[in-house]
Every structure is written in C-alpha cells, then in structure tokens.
Amino acid sequence: MKIDSVDFFYLSMPEVRDVGDGSQDALLVRVRAGDYTGWGECEASPLVSIASWNCPMSHSACKPLSASVLGQRLDEPEDIQRINAMVRANSFDLLQTDHTLSGIDVALWDLLGKKLGEPVYRLLGYQKAYPKIAYASQLFGDDPQSTLHKAQQVARAGFRAAKFGWGPYGRGTVEEDAEQVRAAREGLGPERMLLVDAGTVWGDNVGMGVARLPALHAANALWLEEPFVSGALTAYHQLASKAGRLKLAGGEGCHNFHQAMNMIDYAGLGYVQIDAGRVGGITTAKAIADYAVAKAVQFVNHTFTTPLALSASVQPYAGVEAHDLCEYPAQPSSLARDFCSTGLVPDEQGFIRLPGEPGLGLDPDLNALKKYLVDVEIEVSGRRVFQSVPL
Amino acid sequence: MKIDSVDFFYLSMPEVRDVGDGSQDALLVRVRAGDYTGWGECEASPLVSIASWNCPMSHSACKPLSASVLGQRLDEPEDIQRINAMVRANSFDLLQTDHTLSGIDVALWDLLGKKLGEPVYRLLGYQKAYPKIAYASQLFGDDPQSTLHKAQQVARAGFRAAKFGWGPYGRGTVEEDAEQVRAAREGLGPERMLLVDAGTVWGDNVGMGVARLPALHAANALWLEEPFVSGALTAYHQLASKAGRLKLAGGEGCHNFHQAMNMIDYAGLGYVQIDAGRVGGITTAKAIADYAVAKAVQFVNHTFTTPLALSASVQPYAGVEAHDLCEYPAQPSSLARDFCSTGLVPDEQGFIRLPGEPGLGLDPDLNALKKYLVDVEIEVSGRRVFQSVPL
C-alpha cells in the first residue's frame, strides 16, 4: 500500500475556557492507504499543527510534514519507523513537527493494525495487553471542600487511584497546598493511591517543591508530578534526592525520544509519563517504554483527552505487566465523551483493558463529532495550502 | 508604554531549494509601542510561527502568543523578562511557542534600546561589546574540489576561521569525509581555524562520530559540531570523552534555557551554540551565556540568516571578552544580503563589531524587502485570525 491521503479535523467545544482541561479541543487525523483508514490524534494546538502539515519549505531540514508522508509505502511496522525517521530528518528545524507527527504516527499504527488484523500492541511485539489500574485524573477543586467532594466522587465510582492537579495547587502558601492535599486524601480514604500534579508551577525552584514534601508525605501520596518544567533535569534530581518514599513523575512535555531518555537518566524520576499524542506517536513512545523498562523507571501514559488518545498512549507499554498504572481522564469535556461510540472505560475492578480488535480498537463517532468541527482555511501567496474537508 | 501591535512579515526567495541554506526565507517581526518600533526575526518556519500568534486557545497552558504580549507594559528590561515568563507559562503546550517568542523578544529588546538610547548589550548589563572573530560559515561543496575552492575564497577574503557543514559530510564513507576535511584545511592554509559541522547526521550513533576523529585531528579542526541530534546528551558525552583536543559544539536546536543548560552540564561540550531566533530570544540567550560563563563552556552564536539575526544573536555574549568566536553566514541568499542597507560585516582584521547605535543598531531595508514579501491569510470558522499587512 501507499499512503494516499492525510486529513486533519479540528474539533472544539463551542466555548474553550481558561482552565487546564486539555480535552476542550482535539486534532483528529485520518490516514488512508489502499482500502484502509487509520485514525490518530495530536495533543497539540490544532491550527498550528495544521499549518505545519503543508507549509512552504524553508530549507532542507525545515520541510512541511506532508513531504515525508504522502505517497510513502505502508506494509509493515518498519515502514512506520522509516517514515518517522524521514519526518524527523526533513523537518527538525520546524518546532511543531513532533506534535503533528504524533497524530499521523498513531493513525499509521491504527491503519496497519487493521490491515494486518492485529491490535497495535501485537505489532509492537507484545503477546498480550495487561490490565492497567486506571487512576482518575482531574483538576484540583478551587478550594479544599471542592477537592474533598471530587475525591469522594472518585472513590464512590470505584477508582483505585486518583490524581489531582493544577488549579490553585502550588500558587498559594505551603499551608493552603497542604489543605488541598489533606482534603484529597480524606475524600479518597486511606487505601486508594493519591497522586499530586503541580503542573510545572515552580519553574525550577527546588525550594518550592521541598516545602510541599511534608504534606505529601503525611497524606501518603505516591507521586508528585511536574514540580518543574520538563527538562529541568538538575532541579528534578535535587528534589528527588530529598523526597524519600515520594516519587517524582514527569515527562509529558517531552516531544522526542532523547528528552524522555534524559528525564529517565538524569532527573531521578520514579515514573516517566509519555503522551503518544505529543512525543512523536506510538513509535517513539514504544522506544521510550523499552528504555524505561531497562532503566527500572515506571512508564505511565499521559492522557487528558479522548478514548482514542488513551488507547494510543497505553499501547506502547500494554505488554509490560509491572508498569500497571494508567492515567484516565475522569472529567472529560462532552467533545471527549462523544468522541467514540464505544468508549474505553475502567471495568468493575477499576482496570483499563485495551480492546482486542485490530488497530487501536475504537473509531471516532463521525456523526457525533460533526457538530464540533471547526473550519480552517490557509492561503499563502494566493495559493490555498489547507482547506478543511467534511468529516 | 504599552505594546500596541505586533506584526509578522513572511519573506522568501522566489524559489526555495532543497539545501541546508537557512537564509532562503525569514520571518520578520515588528513591534510597536508608543512612538517606537522594534524589529526581530524568528529562525523558524514562517507560516507555522504566524499560526501560533493568533490561533484559538486550546486550554490555559496552550494559548496563542498574542494573549501574553499585546497590551503589556514595556518600560524597562524587567518588563521583557515578565512577558517572556508569561508567554512560557501560558503557551507551554504549544510547541512552536519558543520559535515565535524568539522574534518577538528580539524586537522588544530592539525597541527598548531605542527608547532608552542604549545598544541592547548595555541593557543586558555589559559595559562594552568586544570584537568577535568572524568565522565564515558555509556548506561543504558537493565534492572535495569544490570545498577546496570555497576554503580558498574564504582565506582570500580575510577570514581568520571557517566552518564547513552539511552537504555530503557524514553521509558517505569515512574516507570520503576525510577527503572533504583535508580539502577544507588545504584551502584555508595551516593557520586559520577550521570548524566542521555534521548537521546531526549520525542521530545518536557514537561510532559514526568516533570513526571521523582521526581525519579531524589530522586537519587540526577546532571543533566538530552537531555530530548528533540536539539533546542526545549521553551520545555527545561519550564522543567528547574520546575526542581529545577536538572539542564538540552543539546547542543550536535548543529552544529553551533548560535544554541548553543540559547540553552544558551533561553533553561534554566545549562550545554551546545558541540562536537567539530559536531559543526564546535575547532574554533566554543571555541567561544561557551567563550559565556558560559560570560553567567554562564557550558561548557562540548560531546564525545562518540575516544581519538583524546576527546582531541579535551576538548581543547576549557581546561583553564576554574570552568568548571571542562568532558565526558569520558567508554565502547568504540575496534576501539576507538585501535585508539591511547597512549590513554587519567583518572588519579588515576579520572581526565582527556590534553597532553602537541604540537597540540592535540596524533596521531592515523595507523598500528592498517588499519584493520578498509573501502574503498569508488564515481563517478559522470564517473568522480571519491572520492577514498579512503591507511592509
């Protein structure tokens, strides 16, 4: 087969609010080759990624992604590896490349799985997909009382683990943050795993993180996520050395293999969190999962958007039994809820189980998504370089 | 003053060729505040950076750059620091951000220098700008004979140093690469500094770099640049430990402070190469220069485009006397040659001296640039989010 077409569909909630909820829009990617269609999603600014697909070439290492994808052969996993390498070589001075490549790569794996009649994790070399403990991922409440309620809801819903992040956490006093963490623990009860996400709020200020450790220890939090910006290796390492049994988690900001490798090698992480929709797709995420296993750092997906993105981000470590946690967006937008008719929800024991169907195992619900479609038109020198097509 | 407007001008050669010459297009940025105008340049895909300026918000950390720039106060250097921090916080999930911010930040410094009547390097805290040895930066010839001629031309033109990169280097056999390096040395004569740029061609394959060391040693090359992709810290470090008196150079791919910090701390570099047009602007580049000085790694600009970009990239280390090398694009496109009427060329001794005029000290030649202007129009949901304005 050859890759016949790649189309981008910009989907958005009618109103996007100024909060940390990343499920308010989505960039859906459709790849067609022969008789098959694959779907992927970029966890990225839709308009900017669209612009990178067909922008004019700036020079030999700053080409649009279309130059390395359209018309390429696609018969086996090695073809996807080759396309990845070409995109990275031909577009490495185009910064948005990795985010755009992510959705394309995911769609290529979905398509190839459908053609070969195998779920993606089998194409990646795994015999089976192990169930993952879904942790309910959500924002902190605006105050401790609200966080308490959120935690109680999650507990009642049967989750074994929950993460609270962003919102006011890290922006107020140490005591205010402690109250938030205590409320989350109180709502969850003593048994469930509690994870806390600082959303990079302290930049690279190690002291701000150290000051929050006592409350995190008292609440028996499993991890503190993104105390610092992605890549602040030295700051991460310094905090990790003071954090005792609390582990650091990070890596969602990584957009290529080496950034994740560096976080594993130099940041003192207990958990490396990789979003297949950002890091370059399933191909890159799988390479990172292999490296994490070798270095005894636990791999966890980062997902805050749709079921399609969730399936894509879990495939790369589906067959690693010991890496058993999974981020599950607990309060997605209606766009994310409507995304697939089948969904991908935790079972009664609180586990996520990947579908056994070929590819990613779930397709977008095109009829439901029509109402979220945003029309985009880009002209350069009077030439139309992008025009939305109907879903 | 408040920032009244930011405009982007996409400039391009009529034909962009599939070679490593990054001067074939340019994204010029104009900032206006009060009675002043500042100019900057993004070393980036113009269309993609333009899209990031005014794209719809995806969530609270994925906003268009305009949200953090327009209307902001601009009276002193601290305002530029604050705007930088806001952009990074509000847009950190938008990957293209750092490239777009770069040109805006450069224009802000230019504008503020004009308002305060000082060259930018003075606003950065330097008493004076030291002359820098211009190294003529160009592509390898297609064959050793062509490289020999290029080197002879550079020697005749009075340069004290020259760099050859990209083209066939690293893609053929070890012996073919050795012939290229020998030809470059022969053309330069024994005294001039010879620098070699592999353009990331070996990915992170240390052995490919090690195999080229004997020829580089024999030719008395000062540095080997970008043997590996930016951020491949461990590969860099391994090659550096085997390279003896040959130093490694790298860093042009860095797009924020921490990436450069990691290259300084973990890659074993002798030289860190920073492009103010990519790394986030003069603000970030100055922070990296300070860190490089503290860590005894020599800071060098990366510039392969216009005189405006050259001035912007030299300002951050202008006052560091011992960091005395400067990349000078030796074969720029006519677009880059026409860019400023005054230019910024090496003196008879082969030194680049920054202008003493306020700001960056040179303005684009608007009349000359009109013919390179590329018209862009972007519509989202029928709303025009970008439309080129006349120069």
Side-chain angles (χ1 to χ4, degrees), chain A residues 25 58 204 231 258 262 375 381, chain B residues 19 25 58 204 231 258 262 375 381:
Chain A
D25 66 10
S58 290
D204 61 2
H258 289 99
N262 296 337
D375 195 59
S381 297
Chain B
V19 295
D25 67 10
S58 289
D204 62 2
H258 289 99
N262 296 337
D375 195 58
S381 297

Side-chain angles (χ1 to χ4, degrees), chain B residues 30-264:
Chain B
R30 180 181 69 197
V31 175
R32 286 180 167 156
D35 298 330
Y36 298 91
T37 298
W39 297 96
E41 187 185 335
C42 306
E43 170 55 327
S45 164
L47 180 66
V48 181
S49 283
I50 283 172
S52 72
W53 168 249
N54 201 25
C55 59
M57 170 169 69
S58 289
H59 58 81
S60 61
C62 193
K63 290 177 183 159
L65 277 82
S66 55
S68 312
V69 178
L70 287 178
Q72 290 297 313
R73 200 184 62 221
L74 179 62
D75 292 315
E76 51 186 6
E78 288 68 26
D79 292 322
I80 304 183
Q81 303 272 1
R82 180 178 44 79
I83 292 166
N84 263 266
M86 278 185 56
V87 168
R88 280 321 200 325
N90 289 333
S91 304
F92 78 76
D93 274 347
L94 198 172
L95 192 47
Q96 191 70 16
T97 292
D98 296 328
H99 280 191
T100 312
L101 169 61
S102 297
I104 297 169
D105 177 272
V106 169
L108 292 174
W109 282 105
D110 184 44
L111 191 155
L112 195 59
K114 288 169 178 167
K115 187 205 173 195
L116 300 176
E118 296 275 12
V120 169
Y121 61 83
R122 298 268 301 181
L123 300 187
L124 295 175
Y126 295 126
Q127 286 303 308
K128 62 172 287 191
Y130 289 93
K132 308 289 184 191
I133 301 168
Y135 76 75
S137 186
Q138 55 188 328
L139 307 179
F140 271 111
D142 290 337
D143 51 57
Q145 193 61 24
S146 156
T147 296
L148 176 73
H149 288 311
K150 285 183 169 213
Q152 289 168 334
Q153 280 180 332
V154 158
R156 275 196 298 270
F159 284 98
R160 294 167 174 245
K163 185 173 85 185
F164 296 85
W166 296 60
Y169 189 77
R171 298 178 186 277
T173 66
V174 171
E175 179 50 30
E176 284 164 351
D177 287 347
E179 286 172 15
Q180 282 278 7
V181 172
R182 273 197 296 272
R185 169 51 78 200
E186 185 187 335
L188 288 181
E191 298 300 327
R192 291 180 181 79
M193 283 182 267
L194 168 62
L195 319 171
V196 173
D197 179 1
T200 80
V201 69
W202 301 311
D204 62 2
N205 187 323
V206 178
M208 300 285 273
V210 171
R212 271 74 180 179
L213 292 178
L216 293 163
H217 285 143
N220 194 26
L222 178 68
W223 83 42
L224 173 62
E225 174 175 334
E226 287 214 313
F228 310 123
V229 294
S230 205
L233 303 179
T234 304
Y236 271 93
H237 198 269
Q238 287 174 356
L239 183 59
S241 71
K242 297 175 195 295
R245 68 177 190 277
L246 179 79
K247 301 295 183 192
L248 296 192
E252 69 180 80
C254 294
H255 57 86
N256 62 45
F257 174 78
H258 289 99
Q259 289 176 359
M261 181 181 172
N262 296 337
M263 289 291 280
I264 290 170

Side-chain angles (χ1 to χ4, degrees), chain A residues 269-302:
Chain A
L269 296 185
Y271 298 85
V272 63
Q273 305 170 288
I274 298 299
D275 196 320
R278 281 184 190 159
V279 83
I282 289 172
T283 305
T284 304
K286 172 60 164 59
I288 296 166
D290 290 346
Y291 193 74
V293 168
K295 294 286 179 162
V297 168
Q298 189 165 333
F299 187 102
V300 192
N301 67 307
H302 172 266

